[in-house]
Amino acid sequence: MPKKFIITALTPEQELLIPVYREKWVPIAYSMAPLERDREIAAINAAYRLSNYPEPEILFYDNPLQAIRSLARVGERPHDYLGRDLNIKFSKRVLDHLTNIINRQIAFELQVKIANRMRYLDSPYYWNEENPIISSFLFESNCLREQLTIDLDRFNPELEYQHTYKFTHSITRPAAWSVHACVIDFCISVLKLEYDRQRWQAIQQLIQHCGFLMRFERVCIACPRPAKMLFDDNKQLHSDRESALEFPDGYSVYAHHGKHPDYDTYNWRTS
């Protein structure tokens, strides 16, 4: 059997298309448009099927704090009702599976080059004080998880930490995968690489039609997109004077250059 050809370099014409795909996916990553419930349900169900799990019960909440406060009270062991966290399973069976198919057809050095060119407008691609990197895509942070931890401890100290921890650390924002989807899209559309059509469609649907998700075996918790996001120059959640992220119902998250401004102090006080 002949050895498959591995792409090691881009043509000048292909190089010129990199900004086109970055400009396509950046607005998707930052979208705060209201979601369409039917499309959101279809995207969640498709992702579960591809992860080899039955379609889940889907519960909709206005924000993650509301969801956790409600579900952490379901019996003494809420995760008996929810099932195990599926984030890692989905990553392995869908996103990683698709990425591995793409990566087998392209040299590692070129993979890194394309990813860097998609994410950063200019070199250098690694931060230093003289030349800080400027990202096109949001750097996802733990600010939401940290805000939830503080608020749950403040307002619901009766809830078991081991239960609420499983909720806070299961939260994902599929739109954050846009930085990877941008590369995959370029490799499929421009380089004409082989790919898994079902998995690529499922990833696109989750990115484009879902807000924040907490995915468990039997239940998927869905919350809307943010109604507000504020950033510093390097696309980290940040605001000195107000919340940096806010849900449509007003639930707010505070951030200072990608970190919750009170979390370290909170940890020290409660440890």
Side-chain angles (χ1 to χ4, degrees), residues 5 48 52 72 79 85 96 114-115 139-141 168 174 188-189 200 249 254 256 259 265:
F5 178 71
Y48 269 73
N52 296 325
H79 287 77
D85 187 334
D96 292 350
I114 294 171
F139 281 105
E140 291 297 300
S141 71
T168 59
I188 291 171
S189 303
W200 176 225
D249 72 336
Y254 293 86
H256 183 77
K259 297 181 179 180
T265 303

Side-chain angles (χ1 to χ4, degrees), residues 149-176:
T149 300
I150 292 171
D151 290 343
L152 286 165
D153 184 70
R154 180 182 300 157
F155 300 119
N156 296 87
E158 77 281 2
L159 297 180
E160 293 289 341
Y161 177 75
Q162 67 266 30
H163 296 330
T164 59
Y165 176 88
K166 290 179 180 179
F167 283 108
T168 59
H169 283 72
S170 71
I171 297 172
T172 57
R173 189 178 73 94

Side-chain angles (χ1 to χ4, degrees), residues 223-243:
C223 297
R225 286 176 173 143
K228 178 180 83 172
M229 290 190 287
L230 302 176
F231 317 100
D232 61 15
D233 291 339
N234 197 32
K235 299 299 187 296
Q236 297 186 92
L237 280 176
H238 172 78
S239 177
D240 286 324
R241 300 182 179 180
E242 58 185 299
S243 61

Side-chain angles (χ1 to χ4, degrees), residues 17-232:
L17 289 172
I18 286 179
V20 174
Y21 283 83
R22 182 171 59 233
E23 290 165 11
K24 170 184 175 181
W25 282 96
V26 165
I28 296 172
Y30 294 111
S31 176
M32 290 178 275
L35 298 169
E36 297 181 37
R37 183 65 57 85
D38 289 346
R39 290 187 172 187
E40 188 175 8
I41 291 171
I44 291 168
N45 285 336
Y48 269 73
R49 290 194 299 270
L50 281 173
S51 300
N52 296 325
Y53 284 93
E55 293 180 0
E57 177 184 2
I58 304 175
L59 304 178
F60 295 92
Y61 289 90
D62 291 334
N63 66 68
L65 179 64
Q66 182 192 72
I68 296 170
R69 294 174 74 178
S70 173
L71 291 167
R73 300 179 187 278
V74 178
E76 295 183 1
R77 295 173 57 86
H79 287 77
D80 289 345
Y81 162 64
L82 300 168
R84 291 175 294 179
D85 187 334
L86 291 190
N87 280 336
I88 294 176
K89 286 281 180 69
F90 176 82
S91 292
K92 288 182 177 179
R93 295 179 179 179
V94 182
L95 186 58
D96 292 350
H97 182 91
L98 177 61
T99 301
N100 288 336
I101 293 174
I102 297 292
N103 288 345
R104 286 198 298 266
Q105 303 170 73
I106 186 169
F108 176 75
E109 293 79 7
L110 186 55
Q111 295 172 28
V112 174
K113 177 181 177 180
I114 294 171
N116 284 335
R117 289 283 307 280
M118 288 294 187
R119 182 155 202 165
Y120 307 115
L121 295 175
D122 300 298
S123 61
Y125 301 122
Y126 299 96
W127 190 92
N128 61 67
E129 291 186 0
E130 292 77 21
N131 296 291
I133 57 176
I134 305 299
S135 176
S136 299
F137 291 89
L138 170 65
F139 281 105
E140 291 297 300
S141 71
N142 289 321
C143 292
L144 174 57
R145 296 185 181 95
E146 292 165 354
Q147 184 76 62
L148 289 167
T149 300
I150 292 171
D151 290 343
L152 286 165
D153 184 70
R154 180 182 300 157
F155 300 119
N156 296 87
E158 77 281 2
L159 297 180
E160 293 289 341
Y161 177 75
Q162 67 266 30
H163 296 330
T164 59
Y165 176 88
K166 290 179 180 179
F167 283 108
T168 59
H169 283 72
S170 71
I171 297 172
T172 57
R173 189 178 73 94
W177 307 335
S178 293
V179 65
H180 306 298
C182 185
V183 175
I184 294 169
D185 196 1
F186 176 84
C187 290
I188 291 171
S189 303
V190 176
L191 303 185
K192 307 301 181 184
L193 301 185
E194 296 178 1
Y195 68 101
D196 186 301
R197 187 177 300 274
Q198 282 188 313
R199 283 173 169 78
W200 176 225
Q201 184 177 15
I203 291 167
Q204 291 180 88
Q205 288 177 340
L206 285 173
I207 291 172
Q208 295 173 352
H209 303 306
C210 295
F212 287 87
L213 299 177
M214 289 179 262
R215 290 165 294 164
F216 299 95
E217 281 179 296
R218 292 182 285 276
V219 177
C220 181
I221 301 157
C223 297
R225 286 176 173 143
K228 178 180 83 172
M229 290 190 287
L230 302 176
F231 317 100
D232 61 15

